[in-house]
């Protein structure tokens, strides 16, 4: 089938390459503009742009997908369907109605749960044990279109947004190709979403990343894993922000939340929460590289009785 692909981050790459491998004709790739990144704020192309360049595909990088130039390019490309994977913008109605087979989206949750920009981190932060992928027809409302196919995927105790995202990207790419084949053969059976079960996963804000040691250790562990590898859960020590990149739950005798209960040269730094505690094993101090918590404890002279708190 002749398709246009809209996507931006690494999560979208398996879908792009799977569509190519399945023999579909990618007539146009639409992705976000280059954005400043890193300490030098150097303009950096999104992963989908780099992949499309390697594949020799035509690329469009509009600031807004509703720009007239986008519609003109799509009309010229004449896609039979538009595939959207983590593109980052809602499509206007003129684009939704352009291709004869419609617009299909790969979403990283079992819709109608976790509609929105951050379905994987929010599922882990909420302590879910199962998530999955959904292929749906796009409509004007965000992530509310009829479901074509779904596949669940378990979330393990040590899974992070990074590990789950890698698996869902591959599972979703395979499912996307199957769904597109069914659309082409007109054998697909869209199922409306049950609005009563809808939940939302909005974009994460800096305020969502703070570790509140007055919460249970299990909830803090979910937050650390849900924010890994980026943006990272944050706490404070000695007036310095510290990202917690890895941690494990441990039983702790009664101690005030945030108090350092132990420093171990193999395990790291044990901090009390409201119930239980966390062994910090990998951290990143502000403006420093990531390091083992044991190295941080040695360098910053962390001792039992010290207190981690608001960043």
């Amino acid at each position: 089938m002749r398709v246009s692909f809209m996507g931006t981050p690494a999560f979208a790459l398996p879908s792009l390459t799977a569509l190519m491998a399945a023999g579909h004709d990618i007539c146009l790739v639409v992705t976000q503009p280059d954005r400043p990144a890193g300490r030098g704020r150097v303009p950096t192309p999104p992963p989908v742009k780099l992949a499309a360049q390697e594949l020799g595909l035509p690329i469009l990088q509009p600031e807004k997908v509703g720009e007239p130039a986008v519609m003109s390019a799509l009309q010229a490309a004449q896609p039979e369907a538009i595939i959207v994977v983590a593109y980052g913008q809602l499509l206007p109605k003129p684009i939704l109605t352009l291709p004869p087979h419609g617009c299909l989206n790969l979403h990283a949750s079992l819709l109608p749960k976790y509609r929105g920009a951050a379905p994987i981190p929010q599922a882990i932060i909420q302590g879910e044990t199962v998530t999955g992928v959904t292929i749906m027809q796009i409509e004007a409302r965000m992530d509310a279109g009829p479901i074509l196919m779904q596949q669940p995927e378990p979330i393990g105790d040590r899974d992070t947004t990074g590990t789950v995202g890698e698996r869902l990207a591959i599972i979703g790419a395979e499912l996307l190709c199957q769904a597109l084949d069914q659309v082409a053969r007109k054998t697909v059976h869209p199922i409306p979403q049950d609005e009563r079960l809808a939940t939302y996963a909005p974009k994460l804000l800096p305020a969502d990343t703070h570790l509140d040691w007055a919460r249970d250790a299990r909830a803090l562990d979910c937050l650390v894993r849900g924010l890994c590898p980026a943006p990272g859960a944050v706490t404070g020590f000695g007036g310095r922000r510290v990202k917690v990149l890895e941690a494990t739950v441990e039983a702790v005798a009664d101690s005030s939340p945030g108090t350092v209960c132990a420093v171990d040269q193999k395990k790291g730094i044990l901090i009390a929460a409201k119930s239980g505690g966390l062994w910090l094993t990998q951290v990143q101090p502000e403006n420093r590289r990531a390091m083992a918590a044991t190295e941080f404890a040695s360098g910053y002279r962390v001792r039992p009785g010290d207190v981690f708190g608001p960043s």
Side-chain angles (χ1 to χ4, degrees), residues 39 210-211 213 233-244 269 271 280 283-291 295-297 299-302 307-311:
R39 290 186 176 181
H210 295 285
L211 287 165
W213 296 103
V234 177
T235 186
F237 181 77
R240 183 185 294 269
R241 285 166 55 92
V242 181
K243 284 186 180 179
V244 179
I269 305 168
I271 302 176
L280 309 190
V283 300
Q284 183 175 14
E286 189 173 17
N287 298 323
R288 296 291 303 277
R289 61 177 172 78
M291 62 182 69
E295 182 182 354
F296 176 82
Y300 292 83
R301 299 182 179 180
V302 181
V307 177
F308 281 70
S311 55

Side-chain angles (χ1 to χ4, degrees), residues 114 118-128 155 161 204 208-209 215 218-228 231:
Y114 298 109
I120 302 174
Q122 293 287 11
I124 295 175
I125 290 169
Q126 296 302 321
E128 301 280 5
I155 299 175
T161 288
L204 291 161
D208 300 320
T209 67
R215 300 180 66 195
R218 184 64 64 184
L220 298 180
D221 175 59
C222 289
L223 183 64
V224 171
R225 293 187 293 110
L227 298 178
C228 178

